């Protein structure tokens, strides 16, 4: 990560929801001295900065917070052990401050405590402990699991608070609306409305005012500015009217209050934010799950042969690690003794576990099957293949330029323009409005701010997305973000992984031929396969489920060939043709012909024989899903080019392509080359969707314009992908494309109505009709119109539900 003493630090961001917000943060970071390069990755909710020294990180975090955006950090206090004087405290403090990702640190010699604030994605308590131990002291840290708050937990807590705020805002606003609309003349109406609306503004809406002030300090404005101005002015104006009603009565005017407008605006915008948060996928969980593939502890064999449990962080290259059946492999290494089958599907995507013998490589995150073995750690920490995949996925996610949303572009201009119109309105009334110019001007300016409140604009996209996402979920299509929904309608090339996407992803017995079809032979075959560790044996056991058991003796697994066992003093063999040839076993022509026929169809063939002749031949293959052929035809009918990529051999790939009707395919493709192929298609101007199901597809998924994962595949593919097909049924993809078209149409309608509403509403609020027919819009009506505009947008979004 560090090159020429320059280091890349990733600062996680909160509340940076749009391109407009990202631009404000970018501008803020240019002011910080010591930052060489900076980039806001909206997709990853983080800023990547290159710095000369770690001290700059604190400055960068402060600058972002000053702009009104959040940086989730963890603040902790740890006792420092081994300090004897004040200079020890200084030495421990400086080493911690120097650590990558530390925002601030101080050691108090009197209390013996280190107080530290750090970025949880960049460092953790045990890393800091190691650094302090390196200079001769120690940190007393609690158990990592209880001590460290993850970014995930911080986001969840933030969502919970937003939900509570929204619920309370709606509860408190309802009585204000009811009184303001229907019971204005009841006793103490104004006082009751004031009591209910004050907590909505002061408590639930305080963030809008705080953020607006932070924006103002930096001479910029965003949606918060408009919300704070409109609600703040409406509220203060109402308080003035309530307390000094005579001021208006003496001028022959009625003193209205507009508490309901102020409270409702806050409630609606909080609701919009909540809907938006729910619609957004959490990008950090993909990386968290990838990291979760590594076990937390391992068993290391010491030089004297004793077994000792070690934390994964403490494993060094050269350590000998013991792996038991069913355990995950912790780091990359080389087998030193023992052998077993290892499920590498999360890295390779291929379903059949691979036999690992002495001097064969094993990889972090893969799962050992039934045997146990020892291996020597070769690559640990950031060097493992899994760590590289994590890095590649993060980079691919961050490098993709997010689609600049129309709303965000307009939001950048919308706020200052509306503020300008409000001020201009006030000035024009002041100059042309006669004796009541000040009052009418102030009323008109507030009405402009209230009616132009960007609720409808803010809700136009998220509500349509929410309904679209909900409708997708009902149909078994999980959609993670608005961008993929918007883009899906433009897809003109789809790259399909073979295993688990077009095919079932698990070996199955497709056919079986017997020399003598008797129960005893079946029972012996089933009994041998039940004892075998070979993954293909599972397919046979599943197929022969109804058969009984036979008593076996002298079972022996023959590595790379099969297995043999004795029954009633006769030896039986199960395995490949080489095993039969070595034991001079005769094969009947009918079985030989069947085997050749299945071989041409690229199926795996295994044999069952006694000491003299072959008794049975079994065909095993990864079956094409029943719906794949129909789905492929449907996508081709939509004018989409389809490409199949597989790590399998040419013969298998060709057979699958012919059976499914796919014209373009590539065999023996390595995981890293899948992403290159996607880039190649993109360079030809195509909008590419990648469909996959394994970790090996995750880089290509992150590179594609639209990424689609199969729900029965790996969790990681599902987390990286923007869409997941729960049932792994390819026919859902054309459905997702149609859903995208309907949703985008709804978003466009919503934005059209929101803009039309503002284009008509703002001039009317400013008093453009007053010279024509004396009409002036009451801010209370403006508040109702504002709420109605939002309701109409939400209602239009809900129409999506009934579309087919």
């Amino acid at each position: 990560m560090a090159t020429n003493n320059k280091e890349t630090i990733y600062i996680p961001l909160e509340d940076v929801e749009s391109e407009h917000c990202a631009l404000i943060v970018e501008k803020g970071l240019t002011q910080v001295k010591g930052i060489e390069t900076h980039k806001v990755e909206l997709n990853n909710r983080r800023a990547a900065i290159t710095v000369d020294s770690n001290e700059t990180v604190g400055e960068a975090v402060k600058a972002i917070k000053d702009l009104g955006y959040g940086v989730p950090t963890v603040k902790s206090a740890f006792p420092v052990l081994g300090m004897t004087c004040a200079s020890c405290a200084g030495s421990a403090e400086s080493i911690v401050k120097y650590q990558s990702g530390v925002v601030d640190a101080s050691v108090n010699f009197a209390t013996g405590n280190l107080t530290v604030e750090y970025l949880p994605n960049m460092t953790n308590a045990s890393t800091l402990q190691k650094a302090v131990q390196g200079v001769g002291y120690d940190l007393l840290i609690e158990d990592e699991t209880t001590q460290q708050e993850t970014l995930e937990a911080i986001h969840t807590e933030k969502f919970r608070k937003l939900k509570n705020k929204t619920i309370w805002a709606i509860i408190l606003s309802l009585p204000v609306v009811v009184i303001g609309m229907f019971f204005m003349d009841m006793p103490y109406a104004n006082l009751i409305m004031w009591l209910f609306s004050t907590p909505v503004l002061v408590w639930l809406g305080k963030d809008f005012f705080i953020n607006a002030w932070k924006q103002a300090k930096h001479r910029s404005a965003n949606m918060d500015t408009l919300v704070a101005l409109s609600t703040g002015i409406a509220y203060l104006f109402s308080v003035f009217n309530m307390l000094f009603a005579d001021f208006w009565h003496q001028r022959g005017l009625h003193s209205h209050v507009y508490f309901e407008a102020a409270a409702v605006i806050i409630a609606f915008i909080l609701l919009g934010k909540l809907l938006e948060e729910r619609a957004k996928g959490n990008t950090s969980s993909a990386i968290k799950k990838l990291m979760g593939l590594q076990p937390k502890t391992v068993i290391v064999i010491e030089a004297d042969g004793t077994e000792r449990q070690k934390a994964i962080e403490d494993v060094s290259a050269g350590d000998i690690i013991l792996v038991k059946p069913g355990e995950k492999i912790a780091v990359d290494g080389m087998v030193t003794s023992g052998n077993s089958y290892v499920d590498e599907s999360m890295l390779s995507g291929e379903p059949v576990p691979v036999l690992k013998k002495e001097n064969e490589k094993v990889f972090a995150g893969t799962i050992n099957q039934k045997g146990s073995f020892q291996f020597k750690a070769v690559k640990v920490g950031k060097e493992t293949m899994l760590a590289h995949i994590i890095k590649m996925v993060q980079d691919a996610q961050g490098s993709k330029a997010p689609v600049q949303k129309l709303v965000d572009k307009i939001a950048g201009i919308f706020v200052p323009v509306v503020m300008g119109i409000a001020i201009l309105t006030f000035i024009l009334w002041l100059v042309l409005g006669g004796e009541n110019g000040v009052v009418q001007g102030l009323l008109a300016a507030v009405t402009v701010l209230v009616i132009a409140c960007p609720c409808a604009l803010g809700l136009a996209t998220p509500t349509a997305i929410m309904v679209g996402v909900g409708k997708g979920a009902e149909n078994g299509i999980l959609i993670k973000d608005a961008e993929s929904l918007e883009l899906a309608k433009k897809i003109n090339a789809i790259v399909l992984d073979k295993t688990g996407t077009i095919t079932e992803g698990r070996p199955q017995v497709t056919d079986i031929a017997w020399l003598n079809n008797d129960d005893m032979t079946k029972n012996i075959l089933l009994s041998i396969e039940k004892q075998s560790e070979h993954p293909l044996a599972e397919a046979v056991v599943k197929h022969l489920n109804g058969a009984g058991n036979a008593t076996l003796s002298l079972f022996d697994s023959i590595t790379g060939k099969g297995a043999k066992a004795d029954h009633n003093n006769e030896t039986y063999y199960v395995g490949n043709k080489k095993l039969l040839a070595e034991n001079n076993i005769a094969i009947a022509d009918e079985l030989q012909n069947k085997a050749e026929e299945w071989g041409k169809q690229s199926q795996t063939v295994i044999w069952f024989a006694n000491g003299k002749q072959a008794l049975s031949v079994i065909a095993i293959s990864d079956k094409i899903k029943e719906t794949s052929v129909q789905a492929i035809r449907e996508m081709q009918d939509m004018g989409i080019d389809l490409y199949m990529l597989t790590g399998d051999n040419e013969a298998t790939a060709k057979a699958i392509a012919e059976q499914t009707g796919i014209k373009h395919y590539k065999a023996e493709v390595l995981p890293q080359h899948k992403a290159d192929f996607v880039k190649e298609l993109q360079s030809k101007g195509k909008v590419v969707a990648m469909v996959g199901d394994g970790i090996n597809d995750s880089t290509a998924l992150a590179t594609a314009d639209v990424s689609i994962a199969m729900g029965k595949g790996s969790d990681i593919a599902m987390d990286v992908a923007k869409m997941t097909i729960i049932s792994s049924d390819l026919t859902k993809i054309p459905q997702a494309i149609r859903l995208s078209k309907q949703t985008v149409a709804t978003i466009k309608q919503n934005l059209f109505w929101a803009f039309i509403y503002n284009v008509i509403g703002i001039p009317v609020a400013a008093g453009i009709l007053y010279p024509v027919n004396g009409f002036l819009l009451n801010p209370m009506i403006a508040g109702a119109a504002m709420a109605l505009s939002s309701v109409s947008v939400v209602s239009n979004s809900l129409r999506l539900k009934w579309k087919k």
Side-chain angles (χ1 to χ4, degrees):
M1 204 157 73
T3 49
N4 311 331
N5 296 328
K6 304 248 193 310
E7 191 172 10
T8 304
I9 304 283
Y10 295 103
I11 302 174
L13 301 172
E14 278 182 343
D15 306 317
V16 179
E17 310 291 6
S18 65
E19 198 61 45
H20 180 228
C21 299
L23 290 171
I24 292 173
V25 174
E26 287 258 11
K27 198 170 144 197
L29 289 172
T30 51
Q31 313 297 318
V32 181
K33 286 192 177 117
I35 295 181
E36 299 278 314
T37 64
H38 55 81
K39 177 175 79 160
V40 174
E41 297 179 358
L42 196 57
N43 282 0
N44 285 339
R45 292 189 180 190
R46 68 183 188 184
I49 61 168
T50 319
V51 292
D52 277 333
S53 81
N54 197 58
E55 287 167 15
T56 314
V57 176
E59 296 293 316
V61 170
K62 189 171 171 291
I64 294 167
K65 285 183 174 175
D66 268 357
L67 286 163
Y69 300 104
V71 176
T73 55
V74 175
K75 289 179 184 173
S76 301
F78 306 108
V80 185
L81 312 176
M83 292 194 299
T84 53
C85 62
S87 72
C88 297
S91 157
E93 182 180 305
S94 59
I95 194 73
V96 173
K97 275 188 170 171
Y98 184 71
Q99 293 309 301
S100 176
V102 171
V103 177
D104 195 21
S106 65
V107 175
N108 182 326
F109 179 59
T111 61
N113 269 2
L114 158 73
T115 308
V116 61
E117 182 182 1
Y118 60 87
L119 304 171
N121 59 319
M122 292 296 295
T123 189
N124 57 33
S126 61
T127 309
L128 299 178
Q129 183 188 36
K130 278 184 191 166
V132 173
Q133 285 168 344
V135 288
Y137 313 109
D138 201 357
L139 277 191
L140 190 64
I141 64 170
E142 304 165 42
D143 176 37
E144 271 292 273
T145 50
T146 56
Q147 190 271 328
Q148 186 183 342
E149 276 187 78
T150 58
L151 283 174
E152 189 75 16
I154 295 169
H155 281 309
T156 309
E157 178 59 16
K158 188 167 171 271
F159 183 76
R160 189 189 63 78
K161 283 182 178 166
L162 178 60
K163 194 175 175 182
N164 288 343
K165 274 186 182 179
T166 308
I167 292 166
W168 274 109
I170 292 167
I171 291 170
L172 292 171
S173 300
L174 275 173
V176 188
V177 172
V178 172
I179 295 169
M181 295 287 184
F182 309 109
F183 303 107
M184 271 306 292
D185 300 325
M186 69 182 259
Y188 305 113
N190 289 358
L191 203 60
I192 295 167
M193 289 197 290
W194 176 65
L195 281 172
F196 274 105
S197 60
T198 301
V200 177
L201 269 88
V202 176
W203 168 43
L204 303 166
K206 70 173 190 293
D207 289 346
F208 295 119
F209 295 94
I210 293 167
N211 292 340
W213 170 243
K214 285 177 175 175
Q215 291 287 323
K217 280 198 301 187
H218 292 274
R219 293 187 180 84
S220 62
N222 62 5
M223 292 287 197
D224 290 335
T225 312
L226 213 53
V227 177
L229 272 176
S230 60
T231 55
I233 292 172
Y235 177 80
L236 292 172
F237 191 54
S238 302
V239 171
F240 178 85
N241 290 1
M242 180 177 74
L243 300 177
F244 306 105
D246 289 348
F247 177 84
W248 301 113
H249 295 156
Q250 287 162 10
R251 287 161 177 74
L253 290 164
H254 187 59
S255 62
H256 266 298
V257 293
Y258 308 103
F259 291 121
E260 79 287 350
V264 166
I265 288 165
I266 299 264
F268 259 109
I269 288 184
L270 284 172
L271 180 66
K273 273 182 176 279
L274 187 75
L275 289 172
E276 219 164 340
E277 278 300 314
R278 278 192 58 183
K280 285 194 174 119
N282 198 334
T283 49
S284 66
S285 65
I287 307 303
K288 217 178 104 198
K289 278 202 178 138
L290 268 173
M291 288 165 175
L293 282 174
Q294 264 193 333
K296 298 280 177 282
T297 57
V298 295
I299 295 168
V300 174
I301 309 287
E302 300 289 3
D304 58 3
T306 55
E307 294 181 10
R308 188 163 78 87
Q309 201 166 52
K310 251 189 188 183
I312 183 78
E313 295 85 15
D314 300 332
V315 174
S316 314
D319 282 354
I320 302 293
I321 296 167
L322 172 67
V323 185
K324 293 178 179 173
E327 286 185 344
K328 286 177 181 170
I329 291 164
V331 293
D332 291 3
M334 187 84 80
V335 178
T336 54
S337 69
N339 62 63
S340 176
Y341 284 92
V342 174
D343 178 0
E344 293 189 339
S345 60
M346 61 279 300
L347 295 180
S348 69
E350 297 313 313
V352 180
V354 183
L355 176 66
K356 297 290 180 182
K357 306 192 292 270
E358 220 169 299
N359 295 329
E360 300 230 346
K361 287 180 183 174
V362 289
F363 300 101
T366 56
I367 301 166
N368 182 28
Q369 300 290 288
K370 295 172 186 169
S372 69
F373 61 89
Q374 293 178 13
F375 75 95
K376 183 166 121 185
V378 176
K379 289 180 177 174
V380 298
K382 289 178 184 164
E383 298 302 309
T384 65
M385 188 166 160
L386 183 65
H388 282 304
I389 290 178
I390 293 171
K391 181 87 176 74
M392 283 162 80
V393 170
Q394 272 185 320
D395 289 348
Q397 281 182 335
S399 64
K400 195 188 320 184
V403 178
Q404 274 209 337
K405 305 234 175 21
L406 180 62
V407 187
D408 292 328
K409 282 184 182 170
I410 284 154
I413 323 157
F414 186 80
V415 180
V417 164
V418 170
M419 286 161 65
I421 292 171
I423 293 165
L424 184 66
T425 301
F426 181 69
I427 292 167
L428 286 172
W429 273 101
L430 207 59
V431 175
L432 309 170
E435 57 182 38
N436 289 333
V438 178
V439 180
Q440 304 283 32
L442 193 61
L443 268 176
V446 167
T447 311
V448 166
L449 287 169
V450 169
I451 204 159
C453 188
C455 269
L457 269 179
L459 288 168
T461 309
T463 52
I465 295 299
M466 278 298 289
V467 178
V469 166
K471 193 174 161 86
E474 280 170 28
N475 291 291
I477 305 160
L478 289 184
I479 299 158
K480 202 184 275 182
D481 68 355
E483 193 180 322
S484 49
L485 241 192
E486 262 184 71
L487 262 179
K489 67 188 275 286
K490 297 180 183 169
I491 292 170
N492 52 19
I494 296 180
V495 176
L496 298 162
D497 173 49
K498 177 187 78 75
T499 308
T501 302
I502 295 172
T503 65
E504 296 282 1
R506 53 181 185 272
Q508 287 177 315
V509 172
T510 51
D511 220 332
I512 189 161
W514 299 93
L515 194 62
N516 310 304
N517 197 354
D518 64 277
D519 290 341
M520 195 61 228
T521 316
K522 285 181 185 172
N523 294 348
I524 296 165
L525 173 59
L526 178 66
S527 301
I528 295 174
E529 291 293 51
K530 271 186 178 168
Q531 288 197 36
S532 172
E533 288 178 6
H534 198 286
L536 294 179
E538 279 181 41
V540 178
V541 171
K542 214 169 174 185
H543 185 76
L544 295 174
N545 208 1
N549 273 349
T551 315
L552 301 179
S553 58
L554 299 173
F555 178 88
D556 185 18
S557 182
I558 304 158
T559 304
K561 289 169 192 165
K564 67 175 182 174
D566 286 4
H567 171 74
N568 288 347
N569 298 323
E570 191 172 353
T571 305
Y572 289 87
Y573 301 88
V574 180
N576 56 21
K577 203 170 179 185
K578 199 186 282 183
L579 182 66
L580 271 63
E582 281 177 9
N583 292 284
N584 300 317
I585 291 165
I587 298 172
D589 287 347
E590 59 193 274
L591 294 184
Q592 181 63 45
N593 294 341
K594 276 282 179 200
E596 284 172 11
E597 183 190 324
W598 292 334
K600 283 175 188 162
Q601 292 166 9
S602 69
Q603 302 195 54
T604 305
V605 174
I606 58 171
W607 297 86
F608 172 51
N610 58 20
K612 302 187 193 79
Q613 60 179 354
L615 302 173
S616 168
V617 63
I618 304 149
I620 296 178
S621 79
D622 188 5
K623 267 171 61 179
I624 292 172
K625 290 177 195 166
E626 287 177 15
T627 51
S628 291
V629 179
Q630 179 201 334
I632 286 161
R633 190 169 56 244
E634 230 177 289
M635 288 185 272
Q636 284 170 336
D637 289 346
M638 291 170 101
I640 297 168
D641 293 334
L642 294 185
Y643 302 84
M644 180 182 79
L645 302 185
T646 176
D648 254 344
N649 59 46
E650 178 70 25
T652 307
K654 190 177 181 204
I656 299 283
E658 281 172 359
Q659 287 167 47
T660 53
I662 290 176
K663 296 182 184 75
H664 316 283
Y665 69 88
K666 271 191 167 188
E668 294 170 26
V669 179
L670 294 171
Q672 59 268 35
H673 296 152
K674 288 185 179 180
D676 296 340
F677 185 72
V678 170
K679 282 182 190 159
E680 192 186 312
L681 289 175
Q682 285 169 330
S683 67
K684 293 174 183 169
K686 291 196 178 288
V687 177
V688 183
M690 170 72 199
V691 188
D693 75 322
I695 291 182
N696 63 310
D697 302 316
S698 53
T699 315
L701 285 167
T703 310
D705 299 297
V706 180
S707 43
I708 304 169
M710 294 284 126
K712 289 177 183 165
S714 82
D715 286 353
I716 311 312
M718 283 183 263
D719 271 320
V720 173
K722 297 297 173 71
M723 289 190 190
T724 300
I725 308 296
I726 300 172
S727 62
S728 293
D729 178 352
L730 281 180
T731 54
K732 299 287 179 190
I733 296 173
Q735 280 184 31
I737 294 170
R738 285 192 287 271
L739 179 65
S740 163
K741 287 178 178 168
Q742 291 170 355
T743 308
V744 171
T746 304
I747 291 172
K748 285 181 177 169
Q749 290 159 10
N750 284 353
L751 290 174
F752 172 77
W753 287 116
F755 286 125
I756 283 293
Y757 158 82
N758 277 307
V759 165
I760 295 170
I762 291 172
V764 170
I768 200 165
L769 296 177
Y770 188 74
V772 183
N773 58 8
F775 178 78
L776 270 179
L777 189 63
N778 183 323
M780 186 176 81
I781 306 296
M786 187 281 306
L788 199 66
S789 74
S790 301
V791 171
S792 65
V793 161
V794 175
S795 306
N796 187 47
S797 296
L798 289 171
R799 283 193 324 121
L800 251 180
K801 276 193 172 181
W802 323 124
K803 289 190 177 175
K804 286 195 174 174

